[in-house]
Amino acid sequence: MTSKIASKSSPIPPASTPTARQEVDYDASYKFFSYLIRGGVDGLVLAGTTAEAVLLSSEERKELVRVARQAAVDLGRPKFPIVAGISGQSTIESIRLAEDALAAGASFGLLLPPSYWAKAVTKDVILGFYRDVADSTSLPIVIYSFPAMCNGIDMNSDTMSELAQHPNIVGVKLTCGNAGKVTRLTEEYSHDQFAVYAGSSDWLVPCLAGGGGGCVTGIANVFPKCVAQLYKLWKEGKGQEARKLQGLVAQAEKACKEGIAPTKFGAAHFAGPGAGITDAKAFWPRKPYVPCGEEKSSWVIMVMQHLEKLEQSLPEAV
């Protein structure tokens, strides 16, 4: 059956409206980075999963690192740790991203394994990939283990242990959620030799109890002071208080498990006003992905709101 749509007699012109292009708002980014640093986080991770790395150009990645570094400098924290996502499907792309990040002021590079042709990603391919990148840059490399985002590629602790012996591979973010990897790796290596972090804060206390060093988490974009407080309580030996807060944080973080849009809506709703960002669109996912609808937004508020009062009661770190 012949379609009845209108004839396309001329080439389609490029989109030019801000709504379609969704240019990065660097002013809002500066405000938000400053807000997180003041909230007590121990570092910023840019161009990771929550920061939509796959939707950013190389120039945008570099500029975001520069903006974050400037925010830290302006707050009197010139050496504040900034981790930049440098994940590429090829070795050369990842090396280029690492060099860009280093030049822009990053402290570390967060690197996923290659995953496009999953059946071709053998242990030797993984080892060669990470070692080649680590050999080719002075930017310290952090392994990023996230099978759900990597076509099911799941590095075991033995593979990570081999990579840990490289002098420029300094740690791992375990978004695979495997606590066994924490205990195996921390039994072999001290934190200074190879740092092990949980990939979310809903198991921060279990990670710390297993010898890990902390977490990299989406919910800290919403309640940075609560997550910093959870870490502080554990480090001060206040185990019972830490476990109680851990449960509350975990309840809120389940919204982040629903995807980018709920995380960003939570940040807009709870953190945006404090950061001085009043336009909720600044937190919308980049197209083709869409923001939360009304029903999902109401659910996010419901599961996160119990932390709002505590967040507001805690002092800023800077």
Side-chain angles (χ1 to χ4, degrees):
M1 183 176 179
T2 303
S3 172
K4 296 181 180 179
I5 67 171
S7 173
K8 305 182 183 73
S9 57
S10 61
I12 300 173
S16 59
T17 62
T19 301
R21 293 181 63 90
Q22 286 187 297
E23 302 290 356
V24 175
D25 187 334
Y26 295 111
D27 180 62
S29 298
Y30 175 90
K31 291 177 180 177
F32 193 60
F33 296 153
S34 301
Y35 176 80
L36 295 177
I37 296 170
R38 293 197 308 270
V41 299
D42 290 320
L44 293 176
V45 178
L46 312 178
T49 305
T50 302
E52 302 176 315
V54 295
L55 308 180
L56 297 171
S57 71
S58 58
E59 286 301 316
E60 289 169 332
R61 291 185 185 212
K62 285 191 289 185
E63 186 60 24
L64 283 168
V65 172
R66 284 193 285 264
V67 169
R69 178 56 66 202
Q70 188 61 54
V73 169
D74 291 347
L75 287 170
R77 304 283 299 278
K79 295 183 179 181
F80 188 79
I82 295 174
V83 186
I86 59 168
S87 300
Q89 286 299 321
S90 70
T91 302
I92 191 168
E93 180 187 9
S94 298
I95 293 170
R96 287 170 176 164
L97 290 171
E99 291 300 284
D100 285 348
L102 183 63
S107 315
F108 303 91
L110 185 65
L111 184 59
L112 290 163
S115 60
Y116 190 83
W117 287 285
K119 291 183 179 179
V121 183
T122 63
K123 178 182 177 180
D124 286 343
V125 166
I126 290 173
L127 293 175
F129 173 74
Y130 277 99
R131 287 166 177 164
D132 285 344
V133 175
D135 283 342
S136 301
T137 178
S138 59
L139 185 71
I141 303 301
V142 178
I143 300 167
Y144 190 2
S145 176
F146 198 175
M149 291 295 175
C150 289
N151 221 351
I153 302 299
D154 190 2
M155 294 172 281
N156 62 31
S157 55
D158 287 341
T159 299
M160 293 178 189
S161 179
E162 289 188 48
L163 291 172
Q165 295 174 41
H166 192 289
N168 201 36
I169 298 178
V170 299
V172 62
K173 176 191 176 187
L174 294 171
T175 310
C176 54
N178 190 319
K181 292 179 184 178
V182 175
T183 54
R184 285 190 289 271
L185 289 167
T186 57
E187 189 276 329
E188 292 186 77
Y189 302 100
S190 69
H191 180 76
D192 290 338
Q193 291 173 319
F194 187 73
V196 180
Y197 296 95
S200 62
S201 59
D202 55 1
W203 62 293
L204 172 54
V205 166
C207 177
L208 293 170
C215 69
V216 179
T217 171
I219 197 68
N221 290 287
V222 187
F223 301 113
K225 290 189 284 186
C226 286
V227 177
Q229 176 71 1
L230 174 56
Y231 179 82
K232 180 174 179 284
L233 288 172
W234 178 265
K235 287 298 184 179
E236 290 176 347
K238 300 176 181 177
Q240 186 172 354
E241 294 177 58
R243 284 188 288 272
K244 181 176 176 58
L245 182 54
Q246 174 68 94
L248 297 175
V249 168
Q251 288 292 341
E253 182 140 22
K254 68 184 177 185
C256 300
K257 306 295 186 184
E258 295 294 308
I260 292 296
T263 305
K264 288 182 175 289
F265 172 78
H269 182 83
F270 293 104
I277 305 170
T278 57
D279 185 1
K281 290 182 180 180
F283 291 90
W284 281 9
R286 201 168 225 183
K287 291 184 175 182
Y289 305 101
V290 296
C292 289
E294 185 176 345
E295 182 177 352
K296 179 67 78 171
S297 297
S298 297
W299 177 80
V300 172
I301 293 172
M302 181 185 71
V303 301
M304 287 187 172
Q305 62 186 355
H306 61 274
L307 286 180
E308 184 175 19
K309 187 175 180 180
L310 175 60
E311 182 74 15
Q312 294 174 351
S313 72
L314 292 168
E316 290 189 338
V318 178

